[in-house]
Amino acid sequence: MVVAPLDANTLAKVANGICDNLLTCVIRAWDLSKPLLFCPAMNTAMWEHPITAQQVEQLKGFGYTEIPCVVKKLVCGDEGRGAMAEVWTIVEGVKRILEEWEVPRQS
């Protein structure tokens, strides 16, 4: 599973076990033996808040893989860390995980 983007609200819900919508319910029921990649995306002030780091670590503790956010101009007009990783970065992360899992490729 790939969750892209993972906003601050959903990050907080998943880290705390709240499942009040389809996405959070699916994540809560996700088979932990299978990979789950998450791509944080939020305002820089939200990203830099100490609770965000704790919540990201909580997800990593579940065995989920973070594809880190990047620095760029955000929708709000600010420039800073918090933007979702570029699509090609996410695709490369998925490819790497699939290779680790030795998933056969279709031609």
Side-chain angles (χ1 to χ4, degrees):
M1 175 187 286
V2 178
V3 181
L6 177 64
D7 64 16
N9 184 53
T10 305
L11 169 63
K13 288 180 179 187
V14 173
N16 290 290
I18 298 169
C19 45
D20 62 353
N21 60 47
L22 180 60
L23 176 59
T24 56
C25 287
V26 169
I27 293 171
R28 180 73 181 262
W30 190 250
D31 180 348
L32 294 177
S33 70
K34 297 178 181 175
L36 186 147
L37 291 80
F38 65 97
C39 308
M42 61 196 73
N43 174 275
T44 302
M46 292 173 143
W47 177 252
E48 292 176 347
H49 194 283
I51 200 163
T52 302
Q54 293 174 357
Q55 292 168 342
V56 167
E57 288 306 311
Q58 181 73 29
L59 269 58
K60 289 177 175 180
F62 297 153
Y64 303 162
T65 301
E66 177 189 13
I67 299 178
C69 58
V70 297
V71 174
K72 68 185 210 183
K73 187 168 185 171
L74 305 172
V75 174
C76 64
D78 292 347
E79 186 158 339
R81 185 160 309 280
M84 187 178 79
E86 298 294 333
V87 172
W88 65 267
T89 303
I90 297 168
V91 169
E92 289 302 315
V94 170
K95 285 181 179 178
R96 183 178 39 79
I97 293 291
L98 292 176
E99 286 170 0
E100 289 172 8
W101 271 61
E102 300 179 347
V103 174
R105 294 182 187 202
Q106 294 181 356
S107 35

